[in-house]
Amino acid sequence: MTMRLKRVFKITALLSSTTILLFLYFQNAAVVLINNSYSFVFERAQRTSHICLEDSGNSSWFNERYKPTVPLLLNSTNSVLQRNIFSWWKELQDVRSASNYTKVVDQLFSLFPNEDHYSDAGPDRCRTCAVVGNSGNILGSNYGQLIDSHDLVIRINKGPTEDYEKDVGNKTTHRIMYPESAVDLDDNTYLVLLPVKVLDMQWLISAFTTRHIRHTYTNVPSSIKANKDKVMILHPEFIKYVHDNWAEGHGRYPSTGFLTLIFALHICDKVDVFGFGANSDRKWHHYFDKTMTSFENDSHGGDFENKTINQLHQENKILMYKGLK
Ligand code: C5P
């Protein structure tokens, strides 16, 4: 009888410990068996701090604005624009030259990669991105190394790295620009064109071929040092989407920085933002020159953009590094 009771006890103990083990296994816990005895030490497994798995929470504010299906970059298969998008975009152009859009797009994709970029989103992807704006608040921040530790480092317009490495880093995987803000790039950097007009697309073609366009509304570089196989063009529908959904119609069209930040939200799984923010006079100052752009007479809704950027930070969708005031 006692023997039978002992056996029942042993089986129950074995079953219970197996159940506990299975439970802990599925709980991501580590079990350490010490000295072959039945005393267990349970240690919560150090969850690999998989940065993209951090729960950013559910935000209805974000979900109302974020449209995962919007085309981000232009290619020959998505280049036909809906009528309302085309007429909005056409209105941005100083020179009413949008009539040759189709011809120009054909030329674009006979020269530059005609690909469907960044359609790789999914639970397994963890792409970290640093968006680096040109605000003077980044000076003295020592963010350089942190910025360079991201998979993608996206810079904007003329923002240089040389002589500012300590604060802004020196890695540039993408630079978003338009003809009037163009700078030379190294071979590994993607040139992402922000086309505000068809002439911007024509300039891009010309800069890599005939070099005949030297002037838009101001002088522009007639050629550019950049890798022809690393050229991308923001989709006009994306520009209107950012204007409508994120800038809520403020300004004539979004600033390059704001577009870049929303672009990053779409192609990255973790977005850290540096070098954004006006000075105390509500002016956009640069870390590399003395330019001061006031919000008031600008074509961008700077105040509203800032409000939206702060809200994105509050909602845990981006992390703002505010630098030094
Ligand atoms: O002046 P620029 O347009 O080249 O700067 C790039 C972007 O950085 C701006 O479009 C803006 O979104 C951001 N910026 C900012 N605060 C500043 C300067 C620039 O937020 N003081």
Side-chain angles (χ1 to χ4, degrees), residues 99-133:
S99 54
N100 53 1
Y101 169 73
T102 313
K103 207 175 112 208
V104 173
V105 165
D106 283 348
Q107 286 176 337
L108 273 179
F109 297 111
S110 62
L111 194 60
F112 302 116
N114 185 16
E115 285 166 26
D116 182 18
H117 302 277
Y118 303 118
S119 48
D120 55 353
D124 296 336
R125 193 185 72 179
C126 179
R127 181 182 292 137
T128 64
C129 297
V131 176
V132 189

Coordinates of all heavy atoms in Angstrom, one line a residue, residues 99-133:
S99 N 2.4 69.4 -67.7 CA 1.7 68.7 -68.8 C 2.6 67.6 -69.4 O 2.1 66.6 -69.9 CB 1.3 69.6 -69.9 OG 2.5 70.4 -70.3
N100 N 3.9 67.7 -69.2 CA 4.8 66.7 -69.8 C 5.2 65.6 -68.7 O 6.1 64.9 -68.9 CB 6.1 67.3 -70.4 CG 6.7 68.2 -69.4 OD1 6.3 68.4 -68.3 ND2 7.9 68.8 -69.8
Y101 N 4.4 65.5 -67.7 CA 4.7 64.6 -66.6 C 4.9 63.1 -67.0 O 5.9 62.5 -66.7 CB 3.5 64.6 -65.5 CG 3.6 63.5 -64.5 CD1 4.5 63.6 -63.5 CD2 2.7 62.5 -64.5 CE1 4.6 62.6 -62.5 CE2 2.7 61.5 -63.6 CZ 3.7 61.5 -62.6 OH 3.7 60.5 -61.6
T102 N 4.0 62.6 -67.9 CA 4.2 61.2 -68.3 C 5.5 61.0 -69.1 O 6.2 60.0 -68.8 CB 3.0 60.9 -69.2 OG1 1.8 61.3 -68.6 CG2 2.8 59.4 -69.4
K103 N 5.8 61.9 -69.9 CA 7.0 61.8 -70.7 C 8.3 61.8 -69.8 O 9.2 61.0 -69.9 CB 7.1 62.9 -71.7 CG 7.9 62.6 -73.0 CD 7.9 63.7 -74.0 CE 9.3 64.3 -74.1 NZ 9.3 65.7 -74.5
V104 N 8.2 62.7 -68.8 CA 9.4 62.8 -67.9 C 9.5 61.5 -67.1 O 10.6 61.0 -66.8 CB 9.2 64.1 -67.0 CG1 10.3 64.1 -66.0 CG2 9.2 65.3 -67.9
V105 N 8.4 61.0 -66.6 CA 8.4 59.8 -65.8 C 9.0 58.6 -66.6 O 9.9 57.8 -66.1 CB 7.0 59.4 -65.3 CG1 7.0 58.0 -64.8 CG2 6.6 60.3 -64.2
D106 N 8.7 58.5 -67.9 CA 9.3 57.5 -68.8 C 10.8 57.6 -68.8 O 11.5 56.7 -68.7 CB 8.7 57.6 -70.2 CG 7.3 57.1 -70.3 OD1 6.9 56.4 -69.3 OD2 6.6 57.3 -71.3
Q107 N 11.2 58.9 -69.0 CA 12.7 59.1 -69.0 C 13.3 58.7 -67.7 O 14.4 58.1 -67.6 CB 13.0 60.6 -69.3 CG 12.7 61.0 -70.7 CD 12.9 62.5 -70.9 OE1 12.8 63.3 -69.9 NE2 13.2 62.9 -72.1
L108 N 12.6 59.1 -66.6 CA 13.2 58.8 -65.2 C 13.5 57.4 -65.1 O 14.6 57.0 -64.6 CB 12.2 59.2 -64.2 CG 12.1 60.6 -63.6 CD1 11.0 60.7 -62.6 CD2 13.4 61.0 -63.0
F109 N 12.6 56.5 -65.5 CA 12.8 55.1 -65.2 C 13.5 54.4 -66.3 O 13.7 53.1 -66.2 CB 11.5 54.5 -64.7 CG 11.0 55.1 -63.4 CD1 9.9 55.9 -63.4 CD2 11.8 54.9 -62.3 CE1 9.5 56.5 -62.2 CE2 11.4 55.5 -61.1 CZ 10.3 56.3 -61.1
S110 N 13.9 55.1 -67.3 CA 14.8 54.5 -68.3 C 16.3 54.7 -67.8 O 17.2 54.1 -68.2 CB 14.6 55.0 -69.7 OG 14.9 56.4 -69.7
L111 N 16.4 55.6 -66.8 CA 17.7 56.0 -66.3 C 18.0 55.5 -64.9 O 19.0 55.0 -64.6 CB 17.8 57.6 -66.3 CG 19.1 58.2 -66.1 CD1 20.1 57.8 -67.2 CD2 18.9 59.7 -66.1
F112 N 16.9 55.6 -64.0 CA 17.1 55.3 -62.6 C 16.4 53.9 -62.3 O 15.5 53.5 -63.0 CB 16.6 56.4 -61.7 CG 17.2 57.7 -62.0 CD1 16.5 58.8 -62.5 CD2 18.6 57.9 -61.8 CE1 17.1 60.0 -62.8 CE2 19.2 59.1 -62.1 CZ 18.5 60.1 -62.6
P113 N 16.8 53.3 -61.1 CA 16.1 52.0 -60.8 C 14.6 52.1 -60.8 O 14.1 53.0 -60.2 CB 16.7 51.7 -59.4 CG 17.9 52.5 -59.3 CD 17.8 53.7 -60.2
N114 N 14.0 51.2 -61.4 CA 12.5 51.1 -61.5 C 12.1 50.0 -60.6 O 11.7 48.9 -61.0 CB 12.1 50.9 -62.9 CG 10.7 51.0 -63.1 OD1 9.9 51.5 -62.3 ND2 10.2 50.4 -64.3
E115 N 12.1 50.3 -59.3 CA 11.8 49.2 -58.3 C 10.7 49.5 -57.4 O 10.4 50.6 -57.2 CB 13.1 48.9 -57.5 CG 14.2 48.2 -58.2 CD 15.5 48.3 -57.5 OE1 15.5 48.4 -56.3 OE2 16.6 48.2 -58.2
D116 N 10.2 48.4 -56.7 CA 9.3 48.6 -55.7 C 10.0 48.5 -54.3 O 10.2 47.4 -53.8 CB 8.2 47.4 -55.8 CG 7.1 47.5 -54.8 OD1 7.0 48.6 -54.2 OD2 6.5 46.5 -54.5
H117 N 10.5 49.6 -53.9 CA 11.3 49.6 -52.7 C 10.5 49.5 -51.4 O 9.4 50.0 -51.3 CB 12.1 51.0 -52.5 CG 13.0 51.3 -53.7 ND1 14.2 50.8 -53.9 CD2 12.7 52.1 -54.8 CE1 14.7 51.3 -55.0 NE2 13.9 52.0 -55.5
Y118 N 11.1 48.9 -50.4 CA 10.5 48.9 -49.0 C 9.1 48.3 -48.9 O 8.3 48.8 -48.2 CB 10.5 50.4 -48.4 CG 11.9 51.0 -48.4 CD1 12.1 52.1 -49.2 CD2 12.9 50.4 -47.7 CE1 13.4 52.6 -49.2 CE2 14.2 50.9 -47.7 CZ 14.4 52.0 -48.5 OH 15.7 52.5 -48.5
S119 N 8.9 47.3 -49.7 CA 7.6 46.6 -49.5 C 7.8 45.4 -48.6 O 7.1 44.4 -48.7 CB 7.0 46.2 -50.8 OG 8.0 45.5 -51.6
D120 N 8.9 45.4 -47.7 CA 9.3 44.3 -46.9 C 8.8 44.3 -45.5 O 9.3 43.6 -44.6 CB 10.8 44.2 -47.0 CG 11.5 45.5 -46.5 OD1 10.8 46.5 -46.3 OD2 12.7 45.4 -46.3
A121 N 7.8 45.2 -45.2 CA 7.4 45.3 -43.8 C 6.8 44.0 -43.3 O 6.2 43.3 -44.1 CB 6.3 46.4 -43.7
G122 N 7.0 43.7 -42.0 CA 6.4 42.5 -41.5 C 7.0 42.3 -40.1 O 7.9 43.0 -39.7
P123 N 6.4 41.3 -39.4 CA 6.8 41.1 -38.0 C 8.3 40.8 -37.8 O 8.8 41.0 -36.7 CB 5.9 40.0 -37.5 CG 5.4 39.3 -38.7 CD 5.4 40.3 -39.8
D124 N 9.0 40.2 -38.8 CA 10.4 39.9 -38.6 C 11.4 41.0 -38.9 O 12.5 40.9 -38.6 CB 10.7 38.7 -39.5 CG 9.9 37.4 -39.1 OD1 9.5 37.4 -37.9 OD2 9.7 36.6 -40.0
R125 N 10.8 42.1 -39.5 CA 11.8 43.1 -39.8 C 12.0 44.0 -38.6 O 11.1 44.4 -37.9 CB 11.2 43.9 -41.0 CG 12.2 44.9 -41.7 CD 11.5 45.7 -42.7 NE 10.7 46.8 -42.1 CZ 10.0 47.7 -42.8 NH1 10.1 47.6 -44.1 NH2 9.3 48.5 -42.2
C126 N 13.3 44.4 -38.4 CA 13.5 45.4 -37.4 C 14.6 46.4 -37.9 O 15.8 46.2 -37.8 CB 14.1 44.7 -36.1 SG 14.5 45.9 -34.8
R127 N 14.1 47.4 -38.6 CA 15.0 48.4 -39.2 C 14.9 49.6 -38.3 O 13.9 50.2 -38.1 CB 14.5 48.7 -40.6 CG 15.4 49.7 -41.3 CD 14.9 50.0 -42.7 NE 15.0 48.8 -43.6 CZ 14.0 48.5 -44.4 NH1 12.9 49.1 -44.5 NH2 14.2 47.4 -45.2
T128 N 16.1 50.0 -37.8 CA 16.1 51.2 -36.9 C 16.6 52.4 -37.8 O 17.5 52.2 -38.6 CB 17.1 51.0 -35.7 OG1 18.4 50.8 -36.2 CG2 16.7 49.8 -34.9
C129 N 16.0 53.5 -37.6 CA 16.3 54.7 -38.4 C 16.6 55.9 -37.5 O 15.8 56.2 -36.6 CB 15.2 55.0 -39.4 SG 15.0 53.6 -40.6
A130 N 17.5 56.7 -38.0 CA 17.8 58.0 -37.4 C 17.4 59.0 -38.4 O 17.9 59.0 -39.6 CB 19.2 58.2 -37.0
V131 N 16.5 59.9 -38.1 CA 16.2 61.0 -39.0 C 16.9 62.3 -38.4 O 16.7 62.6 -37.3 CB 14.7 61.3 -39.1 CG1 14.3 62.5 -39.9 CG2 13.9 60.1 -39.6
V132 N 17.8 62.8 -39.2 CA 18.6 63.9 -38.7 C 18.2 65.3 -39.4 O 18.5 65.5 -40.6 CB 20.1 63.7 -38.9 CG1 20.9 64.7 -38.2 CG2 20.4 62.3 -38.5
G133 N 17.5 66.1 -38.7 CA 17.1 67.4 -39.2 C 18.3 68.4 -39.0 O 19.3 68.0 -38.5

